[in-house]
Amino acid sequence: MAAKRMNVLVYSGNGTTVEAVRHCLFTLRRLLAPHYAVIPVSGDALIKEPWTATCALLVIPGGADLPYCRTLNGEGNRRITQFVERGGAYLGLCAGGYYGSKRCEFEVGDKAMEVVGDRELAFYPGTCRGCAFPGFVYHSEEGARAVELRVEKGALAEGAIPDVFRSYYNGGGVFVDAPRYRDKGVEILASFTEDINVDSGEGAAAVVYCKVGEGVAILTSPHPEFAPINLDRKADGPGFPQVVEDLTRDDKPRTDFVKACLTKLGLRVNQESTTVPSLSRLHLTSMEPSEASGIVAGLREIVSVRDGEEYIKDESDTFHLEKQNAWSLNSLAGTLPGDESDKTDQGDGGEDRIVDYNTVVKRIVVHEKEYPASKETPYFNHHAFYANLKHYQEKLKEDGGNFGNHLLYGEVVTSTNSLLEKNTQMLRRLPSGFTATATVQVAGRGRGSNVWVSPAGSLMFSTCIRHPMAITPGAPVVFIQYLAALAVVEGIKSYDVGYQNLPIKLKWPNDIYAQDPTKPQDKAYVKIGGILVNSHYSSSEYLSVVGIGLNTTNASPTTSLNALLSLLPAPHPPLFTLEKLLARILTTFSSLYTRFCRTGFDRQLEETYYRHWLHTDQIVTLEAEGGQRARIQGITRDWGLLVAEELGWEDRATGKIWTLQSDSNSFDFFKGLLKRKQ
């Protein structure tokens, strides 16, 4: 059983610059979504977490090489090298190019700037020497320029490949004597056309491709990932406006070159770049429309009025409350061709550029009289959602079916979890079961170094739970993540008649896996969903935000629930709809939580959990215990700890029991490893 490589990790730790990371994330997300999750990752995560099995590409962006060494030398570089040699891919941009070479020589002879030394990764078997052009100043555009690159089209076989193009440059080196390393698997992808400032030996290689064991690496001197739309024309540097102008003219060939490089690294690339969508309005509704006004009434003490308009300024976001009547007038204009009235203001005419979402005012339309019309929310049918919610609630065996009675929906949001969890003033005033959902997330969050890709077609929602401190001795808050995972699986299987045999499983502590429909004979499982729970204590209760992402109608990046239906006997049941599935999972979650509050994680809940999980009698290696082998026994019913029994000679039980916490250990299911987080 092999993990699907769906993560593109961008190092954002010690030594990187904020701008370099942001440019990198922007470009890679546009070119790789929805096939990959492009996310920043810390040095600690690269050193301590099991990231390699699901990583398609590791990117080391621009910044400073020496801090990279201080953070990653030793164990970090050992894991990176092993990842690449075993079939992974590495992309080193500018400082990441220096770092990926056998030797770094930077500004030799300049006592204030000089950096010289061997490097551990050594993907390029020679020296990267810089600066290739004079004038570099840290954290400045003083030495920035639009350098012309000649592309070696024979080395890049697919896509529209330019002959020459200009790329942003600021401090990169040249790969010395690159042609001489052809017998070691080095190919030149692009060379400088202009005279350079240092001895480059043979050739003037600006971008090189290196074969490393079963894997590959591309190292660059310039920054082809820098999109000119995101450069500040007013930045320091006497000729910088002209630099931006030159780069703008060559933006398409620059993008084509980046696509060709990513394809050569083995990634699936969108030939049509994906634009980053603008944030949409949020729509606040309740099952009984009039009750939406009660939600707003509970927020009154944090509402301020400016120019007759109501705002909530919270810790992370500012919200503008709009009345449904005012919105209805605006919506008349929304029926006109080309209108963008449902989008929030992101500046500069909606151009596709890096957006600081924290500065964007989020507009909430309060629907106190009726549900939104289909023209207002074309990708989410509120009437269908509430009809299904009511239907499922009437079938509940447990009382207290209130999850989903109040809903905040947005077509495009930052993150449903962040909207609730990061705005604590609002969160403290919302009822238990209040749910936020979206069609697309542009800044989704995951657990540790993991992420759940959130394109259209995923069911994405977050529910807040007010868990009383008084009941925690018998119903510990840690079990909420297990209840959420159980609600997803049980909700899917009880969606309607004919869905009960779908091959859906739980992975400890909070992931959802499904049999891969493209490999029915192998019984291989792939991740189709993830759960993130954040809790904090506030005034005699825990405030928990439970975020869930589930591939439902979209096949990328792994598979989807609708694709799984092909594994069921014909005739296949109808396809899932997001509205009905959300209603089913919420009512299942509500029922499970109500029972849990009354009985704790009792034997019935425990048996149901084990019926759906992947780990029965699985043998694992406890990395934090010196590689000790152990067999998974289950979880404890008091604090939800994973129980593993130590194995000795011939995998016979020794009688020693290990208990492991989900927040301090990471489970790599495909390798059978339990790693302790530090």
Side-chain angles (χ1 to χ4, degrees):
M1 188 180 296
K4 186 165 183 176
R5 296 179 181 267
M6 55 173 277
N7 288 339
V8 171
L9 303 181
V10 178
Y11 173 66
S12 61
N14 192 24
T16 59
T17 67
V18 172
E19 286 305 305
V21 172
R22 291 176 70 194
H23 277 278
C24 196
L25 293 173
F26 174 84
T27 293
L28 293 179
R29 283 172 174 165
R30 290 178 73 236
L31 300 182
L32 298 176
H35 309 300
Y36 303 92
V38 182
I39 52 172
V41 64
S42 68
D44 272 354
L46 292 178
I47 294 169
K48 299 171 183 176
E49 293 194 18
W51 55 271
T52 57
T54 56
C55 181
L57 172 67
L58 174 65
V59 184
I60 305 294
D65 162 84
L66 275 180
Y68 297 173
C69 296
R70 287 193 286 268
T71 300
L72 297 172
N73 273 359
E75 178 62 15
N77 286 336
R78 183 192 69 79
R79 298 184 74 186
I80 293 171
T81 300
Q82 186 180 76
F83 161 70
V84 178
E85 288 179 343
R86 294 181 178 180
Y90 173 99
L91 177 61
L93 302 163
C94 195
Y98 283 112
Y99 189 66
S101 300
K102 184 176 182 180
R103 183 171 176 82
C104 168
E105 293 183 2
F106 179 81
E107 294 294 270
V108 176
D110 184 332
K111 293 183 179 179
M113 301 275 282
E114 181 179 287
V115 177
V116 177
D118 293 340
R119 296 293 179 260
E120 292 181 349
L121 295 180
F123 296 147
Y124 176 67
T127 297
C128 184
R129 180 178 294 149
C131 294
F133 299 95
F136 173 73
V137 178
Y138 279 110
H139 309 296
S140 168
E141 303 290 5
E142 282 285 341
R145 61 177 64 203
V147 296
E148 186 179 73
L149 302 177
R150 183 181 65 254
V151 179
E152 300 294 334
K153 299 182 72 171
L156 297 167
E158 296 188 29
I161 303 167
D163 292 309
V164 295
F165 73 98
R166 290 190 178 275
S167 174
Y168 175 90
Y169 167 92
N170 199 359
V174 61
F175 298 97
V176 178
D177 288 327
R180 298 184 181 182
Y181 295 109
R182 287 193 182 96
D183 60 341
K184 294 187 177 181
V186 173
E187 298 177 42
I188 300 172
L189 303 186
S191 300
F192 295 115
T193 63
E194 306 164 45
D195 292 337
I196 55 179
N197 195 46
V198 293
D199 181 8
S200 64
E202 184 180 345
V207 183
V208 293
Y209 168 91
C210 310
K211 197 75 177 75
V212 184
E214 297 178 6
V216 294
I218 288 180
L219 311 181
T220 79
S221 164
H223 284 279
E225 81 284 9
F226 272 40
I229 189 69
N230 295 315
L231 295 172
D232 182 5
R233 294 173 182 266
K234 299 177 182 178
D236 53 359
F240 196 62
Q242 185 60 49
V243 168
V244 178
E245 187 67 30
D246 292 342
L247 294 173
T248 300
R249 283 197 298 270
D250 276 10
D251 193 45
K252 185 182 185 305
R254 174 198 67 84
T255 303
D256 289 340
F257 178 76
V258 175
K259 289 178 182 178
C261 288
L262 292 172
T263 300
K264 193 170 180 70
L265 287 169
L267 277 76
R268 182 180 177 187
V269 180
N270 291 324
Q271 291 308 313
E272 295 297 327
S273 300
T274 302
T275 59
V276 179
S278 299
L279 299 183
S280 65
R281 280 180 168 86
L282 303 167
H283 298 268
L284 176 62
T285 59
S286 295
M287 178 178 284
E288 295 297 332
S290 60
E291 293 182 2
S293 59
I295 298 294
V296 176
L299 302 174
R300 282 296 169 200
E301 59 183 325
I302 59 172
V303 172
S304 61
V305 179
R306 299 201 309 267
D307 299 326
E309 298 292 325
E310 295 182 331
Y311 295 86
I312 296 174
K313 183 172 178 55
D314 216 319
E315 293 180 20
S316 179
D317 296 298
T318 298
F319 300 93
H320 179 197
L321 302 180
E322 298 181 349
K323 295 293 186 181
Q324 183 179 4
N325 288 345
W327 166 246
S328 296
L329 291 174
N330 291 335
S331 69
L332 293 176
T335 63
L336 299 175
D339 183 78
E340 293 290 320
S341 61
D342 191 37
K343 306 303 181 185
T344 61
D345 180 17
Q346 293 187 8
D348 289 1
E351 290 180 308
D352 186 21
R353 64 169 68 220
I354 294 173
V355 177
D356 183 356
Y357 292 112
N358 288 333
T359 66
V360 178
V361 175
K362 283 73 177 177
R363 301 180 181 182
I364 300 178
V365 182
V366 182
H367 295 266
E368 299 174 326
K369 297 181 179 180
E370 58 186 0
Y371 301 146
S374 59
K375 286 185 178 180
E376 296 176 62
T377 59
Y379 299 102
F380 189 86
N381 187 325
H382 285 78
H383 291 83
F385 167 71
Y386 282 117
N388 281 292
L389 187 72
K390 185 175 182 180
H391 167 72
Y392 288 130
Q393 286 181 352
E394 290 172 350
K395 297 170 62 176
L396 285 179
K397 296 179 181 179
E398 298 284 347
D399 294 330
N402 61 352
F403 284 23
N405 281 4
H406 308 287
L407 190 73
L408 185 68
Y409 165 77
E411 180 182 329
V412 182
V413 306
T414 51
S415 157
T416 57
N417 247 43
S418 295
L419 283 174
L420 297 180
E421 188 231 337
K422 297 296 184 182
N423 294 292
T424 54
Q425 291 190 67
M426 187 168 67
L427 177 63
R428 286 197 293 266
R429 293 166 174 84
L430 295 175
S432 195
F434 185 96
T435 297
T437 188
T439 299
V440 174
Q441 290 186 154
V442 295
R445 301 171 60 213
R447 182 176 181 266
S449 65
N450 299 320
V451 72
W452 188 241
V453 187
S454 48
S458 291
L459 176 61
M460 298 164 284
F461 67 96
S462 299
T463 299
C464 62
I465 296 177
R466 309 178 74 98
H467 191 70
M469 181 67 177
I471 68 172
T472 55
V477 71
V478 68
F479 277 99
I480 288 178
Q481 64 184 327
Y482 301 141
L483 297 175
L486 193 53
V488 172
V489 176
E490 289 271 293
I492 292 169
K493 289 176 177 286
S494 62
Y495 177 81
D496 212 328
V497 176
Y499 298 82
Q500 63 274 12
N501 293 323
L502 274 176
I504 307 289
K505 295 289 186 180
L506 304 173
K507 177 179 120 19
W508 183 85
N510 48 18
D511 285 329
I512 311 300
Y513 275 64
Q515 188 176 328
D516 188 344
T518 65
K519 303 174 182 177
Q521 305 303 320
D522 297 344
K523 297 294 180 70
Y525 279 81
V526 293
K527 181 177 176 180
I528 65 162
I531 298 165
L532 176 66
V533 181
N534 293 106
S535 301
H536 66 270
Y537 183 73
S538 175
S539 184
S540 77
E541 63 182 358
Y542 285 101
L543 293 177
S544 297
V545 175
V546 182
I548 295 174
L550 184 66
N551 268 10
T552 305
T553 66
N554 56 303
S556 293
T558 55
T559 189
S560 68
L561 290 178
N562 280 346
L564 287 181
L565 296 177
S566 65
L567 298 176
L568 297 177
H572 303 315
L575 298 176
F576 286 93
T577 66
L578 297 176
E579 295 88 349
K580 184 175 179 178
L581 183 59
L582 175 60
R584 188 62 191 125
I585 292 174
L586 285 172
T587 50
T588 305
F589 194 7
S590 184
S591 178
L592 290 170
Y593 177 71
T594 300
R595 177 186 178 88
F596 170 70
C597 289
R598 190 179 68 250
T599 67
F601 200 73
D602 61 12
R603 187 163 298 280
Q604 181 179 332
L605 285 174
E606 180 185 48
E607 290 174 354
T608 305
Y609 187 83
Y610 290 152
R611 188 165 66 246
H612 297 304
W613 86 330
L614 282 164
H615 309 301
T616 302
D617 293 329
Q618 182 183 358
I619 295 178
V620 299
T621 300
L622 304 178
E623 190 176 83
E625 307 299 337
Q628 176 63 54
R629 286 169 64 82
R631 179 179 285 111
I632 299 297
Q633 298 291 301
I635 58 174
T636 65
R637 284 165 54 193
D638 51 2
W639 297 106
L641 305 178
L642 187 71
V643 179
E645 184 178 31
E646 184 182 72
L647 299 177
W649 183 65
E650 293 186 341
D651 284 341
R652 295 178 180 178
T654 66
K656 186 173 183 178
I657 299 295
W658 304 91
T659 56
L660 306 149
Q661 292 181 330
S662 63
D663 286 338
S664 58
N665 294 274
S666 184
F667 198 167
D668 186 343
F669 172 72
F670 296 100
K671 289 189 176 180
L673 291 176
L674 273 168
K675 301 188 177 186
R676 186 172 301 281
K677 294 183 181 179
Q678 300 177 10

